[in-house]
Amino acid sequence: MSKAVRFQEYGGIEVLRVVEVDRPVPGPGQVLVRVEAAAINPGEAMIREGVMHDRWPATFPSGEGSDLAGVVAEVGSGVEGFISGDEVIGFTHNRASHAEFVVVEAADLIHRPADVSWEQAGSLFVSGTTAVAAVRAVAAGPGDTVVISGAAGGVGSIAVQLARDTGATVIGLASEANHQWLADHGAIPVAYGEGVADRIRAAAGGRKVDAFIDTFGADYVEIALDLGVAPERIDTIINFQAVEKYGVKAEGNMAAASAAVLAELAALISAGRLEIPIAGTYGLDEVQDAYRELAKRHTRGKIVLRP
């Protein structure tokens, strides 16, 4: 037997439980991973609440979690490149990584570089691939001025660094507590709230705002349009109503979900070109507390479960 997070119905944080389940068994082409770290994400909370039922319905009892890093406990038949004891980074589309053990397709794993911490490794997939997709979607590049809302959050903090890496000027919207971190990572920090459009214009210093990545929601798509950003250079990962209304993009995790992208992100960390800020770590039995912290929407970087 092993422990895993489950919920039996849609609802708030209180529906989350840690229960005893049968230890999973890997099938052909699969690997059983003993989880060392698995990040939590806002999308998981939205699925649990039933907000995303039309898009991503849950089947009860439901597990949760996509990100993972851990140690190979067992390999299924036909698996090449991984053996028991290997340290790995990966992902699952089966809502199952918030657990002590998870079965993963071998094709969805990479070996963990020694200089990538467990917390960083377990936070790479959802936020990292979402940030990659968003930066690609707005075609950020040299000479561009790119605005990112929620710039110190899980996705935003990575998108800031990836956009800077393209040669773009980045304006990051965040609370003042995160302004120094943004400045240290090459972004121009701007406080959110009333009058933010004027502050963005001032930060741009007379330059045109070329692209906008919205990781927060609210009315940032409308603000981007008011700033003169073309719809095809606006990407939101949360405001799907604005996508239908204005024709902006909504490219996120699934647009870059691959082991190859995961390997690229891990290599950037190893090279010192990417930091994954860790806001906090929690035990599996503290999963409710972890999601309460996430719900505040003021964390810098990722919140990680350490089973």
Side-chain angles (χ1 to χ4, degrees):
M1 302 293 287
S2 63
K3 292 182 178 180
V5 175
R6 293 285 186 271
F7 58 99
Q8 296 277 358
E9 61 184 345
Y10 289 131
I13 292 168
E14 69 280 356
V15 303
L16 293 174
R17 298 285 185 271
V18 177
V19 301
E20 293 282 340
V21 298
D22 291 333
R23 175 169 151 160
V25 177
Q30 297 179 328
V31 173
L32 180 67
V33 177
R34 175 171 55 79
V35 179
E36 289 286 341
I40 67 173
N41 295 285
E44 293 152 1
M46 295 170 72
I47 289 171
R48 184 200 69 236
E49 293 165 354
V51 174
M52 306 303 295
H53 177 78
D54 291 342
R55 186 181 289 258
W56 296 304
T59 301
F60 302 114
S62 178
E64 64 174 14
S66 300
D67 299 278
L68 64 99
V71 180
V72 173
E74 186 180 346
V75 297
S77 63
V79 171
E80 297 180 357
F82 297 100
I83 61 173
S84 180
D86 281 353
E87 296 180 352
V88 295
I89 306 172
F91 58 93
T92 173
H93 294 306
N94 296 326
R95 301 179 189 172
S97 70
H98 295 170
E100 291 179 326
F101 291 90
V102 58
V103 167
V104 186
E105 299 297 324
D108 297 336
L109 290 173
I110 64 170
H111 290 93
R112 179 178 77 105
D115 50 2
V116 177
S117 72
W118 284 120
E119 289 84 1
Q120 290 177 313
S123 300
L124 267 188
F125 176 63
V126 171
S127 290
T129 58
T130 301
V132 167
V135 171
R136 289 176 180 173
V138 302
D144 285 335
T145 297
V146 181
V147 178
I148 300 175
S149 67
V155 175
S157 60
I158 300 174
V160 162
Q161 297 172 78
L162 297 180
R164 283 288 297 128
D165 213 36
T166 71
T169 296
V170 176
I171 297 172
L173 309 183
S175 64
E176 292 188 8
N178 292 307
H179 283 192
Q180 188 60 55
W181 185 91
L182 288 169
D184 290 344
H185 289 77
I188 302 170
V190 168
Y192 55 74
E194 186 176 351
V196 67
D198 290 335
R199 290 192 293 276
I200 291 171
R201 292 186 182 97
R207 298 184 303 273
K208 179 181 182 296
V209 175
D210 301 287
F212 201 111
I213 296 172
D214 170 36
T215 77
F216 191 86
D219 58 352
Y220 282 118
V221 169
E222 286 82 2
I223 289 172
L225 292 167
D226 288 344
L227 289 168
V229 183
E232 63 269 20
R233 299 201 71 186
I234 299 171
D235 191 69
T236 178
I237 66 169
I238 192 167
N239 189 349
F240 301 115
Q241 292 80 13
V243 175
E244 297 178 5
K245 186 174 182 179
Y246 301 112
V248 301
K249 293 181 176 179
E251 294 186 21
N253 162 248
M254 295 308 295
S258 72
V261 170
L262 208 55
E264 291 173 8
L265 291 166
L268 287 173
I269 296 174
S270 293
R273 292 168 55 192
L274 178 64
E275 176 192 352
I276 309 297
I278 304 300
T281 60
Y282 293 80
L284 194 66
D285 291 334
E286 301 173 303
V287 63
Q288 291 191 3
D289 292 333
Y291 274 100
R292 287 189 187 96
E293 184 64 26
L294 182 71
K296 296 176 182 178
R297 303 194 78 181
H298 287 293
T299 55
R300 181 188 303 163
K302 300 296 298 180
I303 296 172
V304 186
L305 299 178
R306 291 295 308 266

